[in-house]
Amino acid sequence: KGGAEAKPFLFYGGCGSHGRAKGWNNYCLNGVWRNDLAKTVSRSASSGIMTIKQSGFYRINTHGITLRKTAENASSRVLIDGKVKDLSTQYGQTGWTEMYHDLTLPLTKGQTIQLQYMGSNYAFHAWATHSFYTLEFLH
């Protein structure tokens, strides 16, 4: 068709500050590069919670780097309605580890999405080259 329905429906942004607290850190969404989803999803810049306003299929694609002080786990997770939907844990020596999520889910109006990271030195490095969050509405 080539009209408005062909337009990409995408949020692309990230957290403008590093996550340095111990334990799980919420990935904020205070940096925005592109947001076509203002009518489809509401966003809390400080908590990083995305609330679905229009039911459909959504693709969640994230990348972040986590720093460990010693040989231990680094983790990231995607929460749907406060419950873990996808979890990534990697064990390694001191240094940076890349953490990814890429999943497509049917979500309904009122459901929430949140991204969290955990590491012993940096839970996550600030965006835009070191971390990002994309949410795509697939209809």
Side-chain angles (χ1 to χ4, degrees), residues 6 21 27 46 70 72 76 85 90 101 137:
Y27 187 74
S46 60
T70 60
E72 59 195 5
S76 63
K85 187 66 173 178
Q90 296 182 32
H101 295 276
F137 180 50

Side-chain angles (χ1 to χ4, degrees), residues 112-134:
T112 60
I113 308 167
Q114 188 172 29
L115 175 62
Q116 296 179 328
Y117 289 93
M118 181 169 58
S120 61
N121 196 354
Y122 272 87
F124 59 86
H125 202 295
W127 92 304
T129 57
H130 299 296
S131 65
F132 68 84
Y133 182 112
T134 59

Side-chain angles (χ1 to χ4, degrees), residues 103-115:
L103 58 155
T104 301
L105 302 170
L107 298 172
T108 58
K109 184 177 180 179
Q111 286 193 287
T112 60
I113 308 167
Q114 188 172 29
L115 175 62

